């Protein structure tokens, strides 16, 4: 299992955007990049730079998944029928840790991955600790008994800044059903994501 050692807000600073829409993001106070050169005026970005930035932002939003996992997901998306960018978003939204995050079982995607890794999540009644597991339409994701009492989970369920999306159907506060694979415009990103640029990046 790969661990993200750097602070999660560093990505916000680097991108100059509050990519998770959290109220305590440092970008809400200062939108320039980190470090002593962060306030320098930025020149026009090349096509490659724009594509790389789009990839880093999307990869970061999903909990900074490893490059190996992210590229493998892209390859799966490119082999599917239809638009590769839309397929990529759909596959990322089908990750178990993301469904846990969408269900408001965790306050951040990083916390969602942690409670999956620690065995607090059930898929169709069976414990699963693989955060990257691909959830199928109709799968039921629920909290284990210990998780229902965790302060982290209770905090997440009370967060006002995000709602459970339509494609994740809640049954009470401890169980959801993944009802369909969403399209890009259905996913509640706080910032604009550009999967078409990610496709261009990997198609070079």
């Amino acid at each position: 299992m790969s661990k993200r050692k750097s602070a999660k807000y560093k990505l916000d600073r680097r991108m100059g955007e509050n990519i998770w829409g959290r109220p305590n993001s440092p970008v809400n106070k200062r939108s320039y990049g980190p470090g002593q050169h962060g306030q320098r005026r930025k020149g026009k970005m090349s096509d490659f730079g724009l594509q790389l930035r789009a990839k880093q932002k999307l990869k970061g939003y999903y909990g900074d998944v490893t490059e190996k996992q992210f590229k493998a997901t892209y390859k799966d998306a490119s082999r599917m029928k239809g638009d590769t960018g839309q397929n990529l978003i759909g596959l990322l939204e089908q990750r178990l840790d993301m469904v846990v995050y969408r269900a408001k079982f965790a306050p951040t995607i990083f916390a969602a991955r942690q409670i999956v890794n620690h065995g607090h999540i059930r898929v169709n009644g069976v414990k699963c600790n693989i955060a990257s597991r691909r959830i199928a339409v109709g799968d039921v994701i629920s909290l284990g008994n210990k998780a229902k009492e965790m302060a982290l989970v209770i905090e997440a369920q009370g967060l006002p800044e995000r709602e459970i999306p339509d494609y994740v159907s809640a049954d009470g506060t401890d169980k959801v059903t993944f009802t369909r694979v969403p399209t890009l415009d259905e996913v509640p990103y706080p910032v604009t994501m550009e999967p078409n640029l990610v496709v261009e990046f990997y198609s070079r």
Side-chain angles (χ1 to χ4, degrees):
M1 183 186 74
S2 65
K3 290 186 177 180
R4 178 169 172 81
K5 293 177 182 174
S6 56
K8 59 182 175 287
Y9 291 127
K10 278 188 180 176
L11 188 67
D12 278 6
R13 292 285 307 281
R14 195 164 72 234
M15 295 295 161
E17 294 181 85
N18 183 357
I19 70 169
W20 293 285
R22 296 280 281 165
N24 48 348
S25 170
V27 174
N28 297 339
K29 294 177 182 175
R30 49 183 185 270
S31 60
Y32 50 85
Q36 68 185 70
H37 304 300
Q39 295 185 66
R40 281 186 176 176
R41 185 178 297 168
K42 293 178 176 66
K44 189 181 178 192
M45 207 177 276
S46 66
D47 286 348
F48 173 78
L50 290 169
Q51 293 161 3
L52 178 63
R53 178 188 166 86
K55 186 199 74 152
Q56 298 292 64
K57 185 163 69 167
L58 191 64
K59 192 160 77 85
Y61 178 84
Y62 286 93
D64 217 22
V65 295
T66 65
E67 177 61 25
K68 184 178 177 181
Q69 276 191 355
F70 194 77
K71 192 170 184 179
T73 305
Y74 164 76
K75 286 181 176 177
D76 287 346
S78 67
R79 286 192 287 262
M80 294 165 65
K81 289 182 180 177
D83 182 82
T84 300
Q86 292 278 6
N87 293 341
L88 177 62
I89 296 300
L91 291 176
L92 289 167
E93 285 293 311
Q94 285 176 267
R95 285 177 58 98
L96 176 56
D97 54 1
M98 183 47 65
V99 178
V100 168
Y101 176 66
R102 294 283 180 233
K104 294 182 77 170
F105 291 165
T108 68
I109 180 58
F110 304 102
R113 186 171 301 157
Q114 186 178 48
I115 68 170
V116 173
N117 290 337
H118 289 178
H120 292 300
I121 297 297
R122 308 283 182 269
V123 179
N124 300 325
V126 180
K127 183 166 77 172
C128 180
N129 61 0
I130 302 167
S132 60
R133 173 173 171 170
R134 196 166 290 166
I135 296 303
V137 172
D139 280 352
V140 176
I141 292 81
S142 56
L143 291 167
N145 289 331
K146 281 186 180 178
K148 294 174 189 177
E149 309 298 324
M150 288 170 63
L152 191 78
V153 174
I154 294 166
E155 175 206 344
Q157 290 171 337
L159 288 174
E161 66 261 25
R162 59 190 177 92
E163 298 294 329
I164 298 174
D166 290 344
Y167 51 92
V168 177
S169 176
D171 179 5
T173 59
D174 60 358
K175 187 189 295 182
V176 298
T177 302
F178 189 73
T179 58
R180 70 177 186 278
V181 179
T183 56
L184 174 62
D185 59 348
E186 289 181 298
V187 179
Y189 295 121
V191 296
T192 302
M193 293 295 179
E194 299 167 295
N196 57 309
L197 294 181
V198 180
V199 173
E200 288 175 17
F201 176 87
Y202 284 121
S203 300
R204 286 174 300 116

